[in-house]
Amino acid sequence: MKQDTKLIALGRAPVRAQGPVNLPVHRASTILSEHLHGYLHRFDGDNRYDNVTYGATGTQNARALAEAVAAIEGGHRTVVTGSGLSAVTMAISAVVSAGDHVLVPDSVYGPARRFCVGVLGRYGVRTSFYDPGMGADVARAMRDDTRLVYTEAPGSLTFEMQDVPAIARAAHERGALVAMDNTWATPIYFRPIEHGVDISIQAGTKYLAGHSDLVIGMITTATDALFRAIADQAHAFGDAASPDDCFLALRGMRSLSVRLERQSASALKVVRWLEARPEVKRVLYPALESDPGHALWKRDFAGAASLFGLALHTTDEAAVARMVDGLDLFRIGSSWGGYESLIACNRMPIARDVVPWTETPFLLRVHIGLEDPDDLITDLEEGFARLGA
Ligand SMILES: Cc1ncc(COP(=O)(O)O)c(C=O)c1O
């Protein structure tokens, strides 16, 4: 089955039965057992993973979403979590123990960095950071106790690409696992497991849900052992997504591919226009030929999401505030992947351990939604006029 058909056909109510097209919302804490024997053995063996046994360990809606996402990811099975961040923290913490070492790219999503250093550090797991530009050379940063090499491409805020297949080969040669935060590309444009990754993480909050109205996460694994370890971890921590959010995520998933196609085309149009503007120092977007990560992106990715970084020549924050505050279509906000355009501003440099970030004092982050790109360009053009005013 082709990817676009999977988005439509999977995770539905039984198709031939008389009833609604979509699986109804099963709101539940208690799941009743038919008899005492069934109750006593409800978590035995595979029951805990396969059956609906308790609200917090997965309703019918979570199961349907997980099944669809696993197929789209080309993975074994998927654990649905309460947020994108909990997908990151459950995936990492499920596979490490005290005494282990984790390697994380310097460009990683900030809260993931804080989790590794702050929380895992307290539990005796050490984290060190590596240059996201390292491919096979990541082996040099590995130690005998390295259990996990984490990846995220492109990196949060700074958009560096990573050579994921080379990193996966190097990590596996030394006996480590590989996880990837693939929220930017989604499995429509990059399928981590097909490129050697063991654990694929997605903040479904962004493009998959697509309407800026829920938080949810997904972890898809290459093997059954990893699926069980991560599902057990999520259950142990009581991490769960609500059935309503699973329903909405599945509804968003139906249009994921067409939204991405349109948003990606609009982003490229806006980005090319921005590149030619005198106010713009640099656009950070791997789909651009001028981007340092372009060759890797072109080799491995089937498309580009509609989120990019924007460095301006001006260092005058008040001028940037005049520009941004007056925008009509671009609203100020930090989540992304919805149907609407957004702009955010981050003070730089952000925390870095091995590759200092030299572009200062701030970096804009732009998300292109489903509006007509010409209107978005007009909005930005008027913004640039305020910048110089
Ligand atoms: C790359 C990346 N991963 C994970 C997350 C976390 O997702 P959530 O907001 O659902 O916790 C985010 C959120 O901004 C993100 O940008």
Side-chain angles (χ1 to χ4, degrees):
M1 200 187 282
K2 296 262 203 304
Q3 197 76 332
D4 279 356
T5 312
K6 286 184 192 167
L7 292 173
I8 303 306
L10 302 179
R12 292 251 297 264
V15 203
R16 307 265 170 237
Q18 187 176 349
V21 168
N22 296 306
L23 181 69
V25 179
H26 291 250
R27 283 198 196 88
S29 52
T30 296
I31 304 293
L32 298 174
S33 298
E34 212 176 333
H35 38 60
L36 201 57
H37 181 268
Y39 181 81
L40 289 170
H41 296 280
R42 66 198 186 285
F43 295 134
D44 289 2
D46 290 338
N47 288 353
R48 68 172 64 235
Y49 309 108
D50 296 343
N51 297 349
V52 174
T53 48
Y54 185 70
T57 57
T59 57
Q60 283 87 339
N61 299 92
R63 294 277 188 269
L65 177 60
E67 214 178 292
V69 170
I72 292 151
E73 291 264 7
H76 173 67
R77 278 181 83 170
T78 296
V79 178
V80 176
T81 63
S83 71
L85 181 56
S86 73
V88 170
T89 60
M90 290 303 138
I92 299 175
S93 61
V95 298
V96 294
S97 304
D100 285 343
H101 171 244
V102 180
L103 259 181
V104 174
D106 220 9
S107 50
V108 74
Y109 174 57
R113 169 186 293 267
R114 288 193 286 279
F115 172 75
C116 288
V117 174
V119 181
L120 289 185
R122 281 196 283 116
Y123 292 105
V125 176
R126 288 199 209 309
T127 298
S128 56
F129 295 90
Y130 67 96
D131 178 347
M134 277 180 156
D137 277 356
V138 79
R140 286 196 281 114
M142 291 182 72
R143 312 183 331 196
D144 290 344
D145 56 357
T146 304
R147 170 74 178 139
L148 178 73
V149 179
Y150 192 83
T151 62
E152 182 186 331
S156 275
L157 304 186
T158 49
F159 294 89
E160 293 104 316
M161 281 300 297
Q162 294 203 264
D163 189 341
V164 176
I167 292 169
R169 275 193 301 275
H172 289 158
E173 266 167 29
R174 300 198 51 164
L177 291 165
V178 180
M180 177 176 185
D181 183 334
N182 186 45
T183 302
W184 185 83
T186 84
I188 303 301
Y189 289 156
F190 186 75
R191 279 181 291 289
I193 289 165
E194 291 174 5
H195 290 82
V197 169
D198 304 292
I199 304 166
S200 173
I201 299 161
Q202 197 186 162
T205 307
K206 317 294 182 201
Y207 286 110
L208 189 127
H211 294 72
S212 309
D213 52 6
L214 62 103
V215 284
I216 201 163
M218 293 107 194
I219 308 161
T220 304
T221 64
T223 67
D224 196 48
L226 283 172
F227 163 75
R228 283 166 191 253
I230 294 168
D232 288 347
Q233 185 79 351
H235 297 166
F237 274 81
D239 183 273
S242 86
D244 292 271
D245 288 347
C246 292
F247 177 92
L248 287 174
L250 263 175
R251 188 163 78 174
M253 190 193 80
R254 307 299 176 204
S255 59
L256 174 62
S257 173
V258 286
R259 280 187 285 109
L260 270 174
E261 195 178 323
R262 168 69 188 269
Q263 286 175 255
S264 177
S266 297
L268 198 60
K269 185 168 186 181
V270 173
V271 154
R272 290 210 189 286
W273 177 82
L274 282 169
E275 251 204 326
R277 291 290 305 197
E279 299 87 351
V280 172
K281 190 170 165 200
R282 186 154 84 96
V283 182
L284 294 75
Y285 191 52
L288 275 183
E289 294 78 1
S290 57
D291 190 277
H294 183 70
L296 280 178
W297 170 80
K298 202 167 171 192
R299 187 193 70 188
D300 293 341
F301 285 50
S306 65
L307 183 79
F308 57 87
L310 179 61
L312 301 177
H313 285 295
T314 182
T315 56
D316 180 354
E317 201 170 306
V320 174
R322 269 199 311 276
M323 173 196 167
V324 170
D325 289 351
L327 290 171
D328 185 29
L329 297 172
F330 287 90
R331 310 304 297 271
I332 304 167
S334 60
S335 201
W336 44 278
Y339 59 86
E340 81 291 6
S341 289
L342 290 171
I343 192 159
C345 183
N346 293 285
R347 286 220 173 86
M348 306 299 276
I350 40 161
R352 287 278 185 154
D353 282 63
V354 289
V355 201
W357 186 259
T358 52
E359 230 141 334
T360 54
F362 45 76
L363 200 54
L364 296 173
R365 192 181 65 178
V366 181
H367 173 256
I368 299 298
L370 288 166
E371 304 90 343
D372 189 304
D374 290 337
D375 288 334
L376 296 175
I377 287 171
T378 303
D379 204 19
L380 290 170
E381 194 164 27
E382 289 167 7
F384 282 141
R386 285 189 299 276
L387 191 65

